[in-house]
Amino acid sequence: MATAFVMINNMIDAAFKRTTLLIFVLGSIGFGSGFDNYYDEYYDADAEPLSFLARPQTFTVEVGQSVIIPCDVDNIGHHKLVVKKRGPGDVEQLLWVGREKMARSRRLTMDLETKRLTVTHVRRQDAGTYVCHFDTSPPKELHHILVVQYSPKVSPTVPTEHQVKAGDKAVLACKAEGNPKPIIRWSRQEGHLPNGQSQQEGDILHLEKVDRHSEGTYVCTADNGIGPPASAKMTVIVEYAPEISPEKEVIRTGEGDRVLLVCLVYGRPVPRVVWTHNGNPVKPEIGVEVNTPKSTQTGSYQRSSDAHSNELNTAHRHMLKLNHVTEEDFGSYVCIAENIYGETTAAIQITG
């Protein structure tokens, strides 16, 4: 029993001596110091954890400008910084991993010392969330938001030409895009809006109970303070019964004089106009000239072919010329205007 105990003790003593000798040899050739460095670099329990020096920020820039996205970090050690961008639908795009650039865009550059990403000539698609990421346990992330502002665009959401009957309602509408969200204002090329205002704000403009004074070109203008405003135009055409305004209601003349009677006629479709004298139709004859502006049919309404053919709410001058007045020419002259919506008359008196 004593002999067995001595043998076991000798074996333990020999093993201890071999272990001591191995440690001494390894230390003498520098292998032990390598282990120390390995543990110091990767398993140093006293080392401070890496941390971001930058704070989360929201950057607002206009299209074409530049922006710096900071990923400043302390105690990075051997960890690799990953920079990525999250766009619509949380779709992620890798921009940088360590020292390797993953994005193809030349507009993206990284300062590898300061860990700052620069985006030059910013575009609308650059907007999103930029993430500075370290794949630690748990992961460390820093989020920055990039907001890109751009000038407005506007487009009509209804036909650009509205043809309505007098008394009906016309609705004009535009939509605009831009960042910040644009404000839409309505105006009228011919002057004030039918409600008397110079302009009105909103996406939709309601014109109630239109008449010929509602005709014109309406402009919706979108503005958000970024770049020049954008605008779109719409035309309102009103169909209505004839309206007549004589240039003079009473004309005093004498025998042998030359007299010109004029009626300003409004209406759409363009009215047909005839003259009467003391209830009898007036026809061109010697000494009498009837001047009726010609018109051509365009669409479902007529436009005059004279100099005002491209203007809205324009009166047509219908003239009756008496080249040599006699006593029989005195009396009441009536111009009668008629279209599909009705008939209107106006009288002019010629006295001696």
Side-chain angles (χ1 to χ4, degrees):
M1 182 69 175
T3 301
F5 179 79
V6 172
M7 292 177 64
I8 293 173
N9 188 49
N10 290 338
M11 293 173 63
I12 293 174
D13 184 58
F16 177 76
K17 289 179 179 180
R18 287 194 298 270
T19 303
T20 304
L21 178 60
L22 177 62
I23 292 175
F24 174 76
V25 172
L26 292 175
S28 66
I29 65 176
F31 195 76
S33 62
F35 270 120
D36 292 341
N37 291 339
Y38 182 84
Y39 280 98
D40 287 343
E41 292 182 8
Y42 296 97
Y43 295 99
D44 186 358
D46 296 328
E48 296 182 6
L50 63 85
S51 59
F52 288 106
L53 299 178
R55 58 181 176 82
Q57 299 179 61
T58 296
F59 300 93
T60 301
V61 298
E62 296 182 19
V63 166
Q65 295 180 340
S66 299
V67 63
I68 296 176
I69 308 293
C71 294
D72 305 47
V73 64
D74 193 20
N75 297 318
I76 190 171
H78 289 270
H79 297 286
K80 287 186 176 182
L81 172 66
V82 176
V83 182
K84 50 190 176 181
K85 172 182 173 289
R86 289 177 186 162
D90 288 334
V91 176
E92 288 192 348
Q93 175 189 5
L94 275 178
L95 305 180
W96 230 276
V97 177
R99 306 181 72 87
E100 298 295 326
K101 183 178 181 180
M102 310 303 292
R104 295 182 178 180
S105 175
R106 295 181 180 180
R107 299 182 298 105
L108 301 179
T109 57
M110 171 73 82
D111 187 326
L112 298 176
E113 297 300 324
T114 62
K115 302 295 185 290
R116 294 178 180 177
L117 175 71
T118 300
V119 185
T120 59
H121 304 291
V122 170
R123 300 174 182 175
R124 290 172 55 178
Q125 59 266 31
D126 293 327
T129 301
Y130 288 76
V131 182
C132 310
H133 173 91
F134 284 103
D135 195 15
T136 57
S137 183
K140 285 186 177 292
E141 288 189 345
L142 174 65
H143 293 197
H144 297 297
I145 297 175
L146 177 59
V147 178
V148 179
Q149 296 182 332
Y150 51 95
S151 57
K153 292 183 179 180
V154 67
S155 58
T157 57
V158 295
T160 56
E161 185 172 281
H162 287 258
Q163 186 173 326
V164 294
K165 296 179 181 179
D168 288 352
K169 177 180 180 180
V171 179
L172 310 180
C174 281
K175 68 175 181 179
E177 61 171 329
N179 190 22
K181 183 180 180 181
I183 296 175
I184 294 179
R185 294 183 176 89
W186 292 88
S187 59
R188 185 174 172 221
Q189 283 189 352
E190 292 75 15
H192 287 76
L193 297 171
N195 60 11
Q197 297 179 349
S198 60
Q199 62 180 14
Q200 183 173 317
E201 188 174 307
D203 297 349
I204 301 175
L205 179 66
H206 296 274
L207 303 178
E208 305 286 348
K209 296 181 179 180
V210 299
D211 56 21
R212 71 176 178 89
H213 301 288
S214 306
E215 287 193 330
T217 300
Y218 292 80
V219 182
C220 60
T221 302
D223 188 10
N224 65 354
I226 307 297
S231 62
K233 297 180 180 180
M234 276 164 274
T235 302
V236 174
I237 300 168
V238 180
E239 293 187 342
Y240 56 97
E243 298 179 18
I244 302 177
S245 176
E247 285 190 350
K248 293 182 179 180
E249 294 184 353
V250 178
I251 298 176
R252 302 184 184 278
T253 185
E255 293 189 42
D257 291 344
R258 176 179 295 180
V259 174
L260 182 65
L261 292 73
V262 178
C263 279
L264 302 178
V265 179
Y266 301 85
R268 180 159 292 114
V270 174
R272 183 178 68 91
V273 176
V274 295
W275 292 84
T276 64
H277 175 219
N278 295 329
N280 299 312
V282 175
K283 296 181 181 180
E285 56 187 27
I286 298 177
V288 178
E289 298 179 19
V290 178
N291 185 338
T292 301
K294 295 180 180 180
S295 60
T296 55
Q297 187 74 22
T298 304
S300 59
Y301 63 93
Q302 292 179 329
R303 285 185 177 175
S304 171
S305 60
D306 63 7
H308 304 289
S309 60
N310 294 323
E311 298 182 14
L312 295 172
N313 194 22
T314 300
H316 301 288
R317 299 180 82 247
H318 291 262
M319 297 175 290
L320 177 62
K321 184 184 296 185
L322 305 179
N323 293 317
H324 190 80
V325 174
T326 65
E327 186 176 352
E328 295 179 353
D329 294 327
F330 297 159
S332 176
Y333 290 81
V334 177
C335 53
I336 305 170
E338 180 184 13
N339 66 9
I340 60 175
Y341 295 107
E343 178 182 290
T344 305
T345 64
I348 300 176
Q349 298 287 333
I350 294 183
T351 63

